[in-house]
Amino acid sequence: MNQTPNNSIKCSVSNCAHHCQGQNYCTLNEIKVGCCEPNATKCASTECASFQLGNH
């Protein structure tokens, strides 16, 4: 699994399979951001759709 941090994608979700352990960055080249609600009006209405549960 890639453990090279993508310095353009900050992330503090340490239980994600794509989290660069020891650093608060994602290891993916790009992420997909999705909505939890039809009309997002606040941060809580969005999510990282690239999240995968890791086994850290």
Side-chain angles (χ1 to χ4, degrees), residues 12-19 21 51-56:
S12 60
V13 183
S14 61
N15 66 331
C16 180
H18 306 295
H19 188 264
Q21 297 305 308
F51 173 82
Q52 289 182 345
L53 183 60
N55 55 1
H56 301 26

Side-chain angles (χ1 to χ4, degrees), residues 6-25:
N6 180 335
N7 294 326
S8 296
I9 306 174
K10 292 182 179 183
C11 180
S12 60
V13 183
S14 61
N15 66 331
C16 180
H18 306 295
H19 188 264
C20 188
Q21 297 305 308
Q23 300 179 51
N24 281 333
Y25 290 100

Side-chain angles (χ1 to χ4, degrees), residues 36-37 41-47:
C36 303
E37 300 174 11
T41 58
K42 56 188 179 244
C43 183
S45 300
T46 63
E47 66 180 9

